[in-house]
Amino acid sequence: MRSTTPHEAVPATTPAASLVFTTVLSHGPLTRAEIARRTRLSPAAVTKAVRPLMEVGYLVEDVDEGARPALGRPANLVRVDAGRALFIGIKVTGDEIIAVLADLCCHIRVARHVRLTDREPAAVLPALTALVRELLLEADGFGVRVRGLGLAVSGDVDRTDGVVRYSPFLEWRDIPLAEIVGTATGLPVTVDNDVRALTVAEQWFGAGVGLSDFALVTVGAGIGCGLVVHGRVVSGAHGVAGEIGHLSIDPLGPPCHCGNNGCVEAIAADPAILRGVREATGRPVTTAAEALELAHGGDPGVREVYARAGEAIGRAIGSVVNVLGPERVIISGEGLAAYDLFAEGIRDAFAASAFGTAAQCDVMTRPLPFEEWARGAAATAIQSFIGSDTR
């Protein structure tokens, strides 16, 4: 439930108002005629949707002198007033908390990192709420209220109830995260899977802007996938859509923490690669940087581990493209540090598994710092605040 001051109302949350706001957020500034064209709303519907958002200051109108028609006044551009509200976004990993203070256009104003030495909720949650309080003090310096808090966690997350059902890297089960953090901070809280949160940010502000269908594949500690279908971020009936890391591509392959064998994650995620490198070399390799050094040094056994990982990722991407037919697949995540070792395997396996014209899908890489994952969490808070939840 959103809180308001006596003199400030929350924005309108009609579907048309939400559509207009997100269109201006991603593509603006825009004239009203351009908003109507992009949203397929009538000019009257656009005017009706814009008015309440302007009344509370989330949209503003500027004169575009360069768009003067042959007759009449110049066109007015509608844009989001980025400084009108602030949001906190937090990504929790197995060893740190990354937090950002972002404005209404999801520009990062402040970023913070806090190391974790204990993954138990009893240790993580006090550190998280202390970090939120620190950012609330930072927000006071901008003279703008924080209107929402987004939390992003890996694994099976129930966004509707704000519950972390199971996070393998944190080893959390059935944690009512939204309730706990909301009570501690007094903020409206949105909790989501970290890859879906990052997908929202890519849809609104990144490589997915303007695309109705795309997939975001993340490689690193796990293998994740966010899906946008017909302009909507998909979470599925049970909240686990896009889990390509748990496609079993080799039933006789290594065991996965999910209980199956030969999952993509059991072959291509960082822990699997480290295990394979140790088996290939007999060395006690413990970090991705050590494994990369051996691979770049030319060790054939280590390079084969990365080649198998690339093949698994490529086959998984081929499956996504065959089933959904996206316009683009974006590959991101900390695992991109090894992309030169993955690339050939991904490319060849994708080409072999993509059916027909599905192989024409644009597959691109997009390195993103960890702050972008926290920014994704902030984007979900903005999404909830403006009433534009597209799941």
Side-chain angles (χ1 to χ4, degrees):
M1 184 174 181
R2 305 187 185 100
S3 60
T4 60
T5 65
H7 304 293
E8 181 178 14
V10 297
T13 55
T14 65
S18 298
L19 177 59
V20 166
F21 181 84
T22 54
T23 300
V24 176
L25 186 67
S26 296
H27 302 283
L30 299 172
T31 64
R32 293 176 189 239
E34 182 66 12
I35 294 171
R37 186 186 71 78
R38 288 181 177 273
T39 61
R40 299 183 180 179
L41 296 172
S42 69
V46 169
T47 296
K48 184 177 180 181
V50 163
R51 185 181 298 116
L53 291 166
M54 286 186 169
E55 287 174 352
V56 292
Y58 296 103
L59 294 181
V60 295
E61 200 165 22
D62 300 322
V63 174
D64 182 7
E65 295 291 350
R68 185 183 296 274
L71 297 173
R73 296 178 300 174
N76 290 341
L77 290 173
V78 177
R79 62 178 173 83
V80 174
D81 182 357
R84 187 66 177 80
L86 293 172
F87 298 83
I88 294 172
I90 292 180
K91 153 79 169 168
V92 184
T93 76
D95 54 15
E96 71 174 336
I97 303 171
I98 306 107
V100 299
L101 182 66
D103 62 26
L104 192 53
C105 287
C106 224
H107 301 136
I108 297 175
R109 301 294 186 93
V110 179
R112 294 282 186 272
H113 290 243
V114 172
R115 300 297 298 178
L116 293 174
T117 57
D118 189 335
R119 299 178 182 180
E120 287 295 319
V124 174
L125 295 179
L128 190 156
T129 54
L131 189 53
V132 170
R133 293 190 185 99
E134 180 182 331
L135 290 175
L136 288 172
L137 289 175
E138 293 272 5
D140 288 342
F142 293 98
V144 179
R145 288 189 64 195
V146 172
R147 308 294 298 186
L149 166 62
L151 303 175
V153 179
S154 66
D156 184 356
V157 178
D158 183 339
R159 175 187 166 103
T160 301
D161 292 333
V163 174
V164 178
R165 294 189 188 121
Y166 174 53
S167 179
F169 304 124
L170 291 168
E171 299 179 353
W172 288 5
R173 287 188 183 274
D174 299 321
I175 304 297
L177 194 57
E179 179 184 348
I180 293 170
V181 177
T183 299
T185 64
L187 292 172
V189 177
T190 302
V191 180
D192 210 341
N193 169 272
D194 57 350
V195 178
R196 284 202 300 269
L198 186 62
T199 304
V200 173
E202 285 299 287
Q203 181 186 28
W204 282 5
F205 312 107
V209 170
L211 301 180
S212 64
D213 299 88
F214 73 91
L216 171 69
V217 173
T218 58
V219 297
I223 307 295
C225 181
L227 302 171
V228 173
V229 178
H230 299 318
R232 295 178 178 271
V233 179
V234 176
S235 59
H238 305 290
V240 291
E243 289 289 347
I244 66 167
H246 297 289
L247 288 176
S248 180
I249 61 173
D250 180 6
L252 300 179
C256 181
H257 63 81
C258 73
N260 291 320
N261 286 78
C263 292
V264 176
E265 198 160 286
I267 299 169
D270 284 350
I273 289 174
L274 291 176
R275 183 177 62 247
V277 170
R278 288 192 292 267
E279 291 172 354
T281 64
R283 300 188 187 187
V285 177
T286 59
T287 69
E290 292 176 77
L292 274 176
E293 185 177 358
L294 288 171
H296 288 145
D299 188 299
V302 176
R303 294 184 72 88
E304 177 60 25
V305 171
Y306 281 99
R308 285 199 303 270
E311 180 183 359
I313 295 167
R315 289 179 63 184
I317 291 173
S319 297
V320 171
V321 170
N322 287 343
V323 171
L324 296 174
E327 300 166 70
R328 176 175 292 163
V329 173
I330 306 158
I331 306 174
S332 190
E334 69 273 20
L336 282 187
Y339 191 73
D340 61 314
L341 303 168
F342 288 145
E344 184 177 356
I346 291 176
R347 183 174 58 249
D348 292 349
F350 171 69
S353 58
F355 177 73
T357 55
Q360 297 175 13
C361 175
D362 175 29
V363 179
M364 63 171 287
T365 58
R366 181 164 158 79
L368 294 170
F370 256 120
E371 285 85 357
E372 290 296 312
W373 294 75
R375 182 174 180 249
T380 66
I382 296 171
Q383 183 185 64
S384 294
F385 176 68
I386 205 65
S388 57
D389 191 339
T390 56
R391 293 174 213 285

